[in-house]
Amino acid sequence: MKTAVKPARVETVSAPPLAIRILWRGDEIWRLDLTWAENVGPTDARSDAGRELARCLADYVAGRNPHWPDLPLTFSNTAPFHRRCWEELAKIPYGQTLTYAELAERAGSAQAARAVGQAMAKNPFPLVYPCHRVLASGGGLGGYGPGLEMKKWLLALESGKITPLTPVRSSALQEA
């Protein structure tokens, strides 16, 4: 039976409607948990990386490309193909999307669309590695760890179909 690994410390950055829990092990970030701000407390960024991430998240929810900072992320125990997928993922411009198949090709394995889906599902750094920008070949949303409602909101925000102030459960989002 696997036991859950506990982070050494946790910081929270919040820019409603989004929040990120930063999970640290030593001096490295091993996970960024993206969630709705209503599910967490206020920002308690104590590190330089946390404060920088808070600034970028505020830019992001304001509808601006945040230019995510160079964070001390750890990639230990990451499969090489997953790492290549995430590196290619980081190159998808703000407001644009790719399909799983297109990302597989960019990562060097054109027939590995399903493996790309697995890499997206294991992405520990959403937004920084924007897996919400990857769609199914038929134009469907595919999956998203933080939930399809969030994926839809992120894509609508980046495409300009909603404003940063559009409520998460708005009918405008359903039409986006």
Side-chain angles (χ1 to χ4, degrees), residues 3-7 25 30:
T3 57
V5 178
K6 291 195 156 211
R25 279 192 201 148
W30 65 277

Side-chain angles (χ1 to χ4, degrees), residues 146-170:
L148 290 181
E149 181 179 50
M150 183 175 290
K151 184 172 187 172
K152 201 172 197 180
W153 191 88
L154 297 172
L155 292 171
L157 177 68
E158 288 187 16
S159 68
K161 292 180 180 174
I162 61 170
T163 69
L165 301 177
T166 301
V168 171
R169 290 165 186 88
S170 163

Side-chain angles (χ1 to χ4, degrees), residues 12-15 18-21 33-43:
T12 302
V13 296
S14 182
L18 301 178
I20 297 173
R21 279 188 289 262
D33 286 340
L34 179 63
T35 188
W36 297 113
E38 65 193 23
N39 298 332
V40 299
T43 293

Side-chain angles (χ1 to χ4, degrees), residues 15 19 24 26 30 32 38 42 46 57-59 62 73 76 79 84 92-94 99 127 132 156 162 176:
W24 292 86
W30 65 277
L32 298 173
E38 65 193 23
R46 298 176 300 281
L57 185 62
D59 282 348
L73 306 175
S76 60
R84 280 196 316 274
I92 303 172
Y94 179 90
T99 65
L127 290 185
H132 65 280
I162 61 170

Side-chain angles (χ1 to χ4, degrees), residues 9-11 13 20-24 29 31-32 50 53:
R9 72 179 193 272
V10 178
E11 293 178 72
V13 296
I20 297 173
R21 279 188 289 262
I22 308 166
L23 306 168
W24 292 86
I29 297 171
R31 182 162 198 82
L32 298 173
L53 197 56

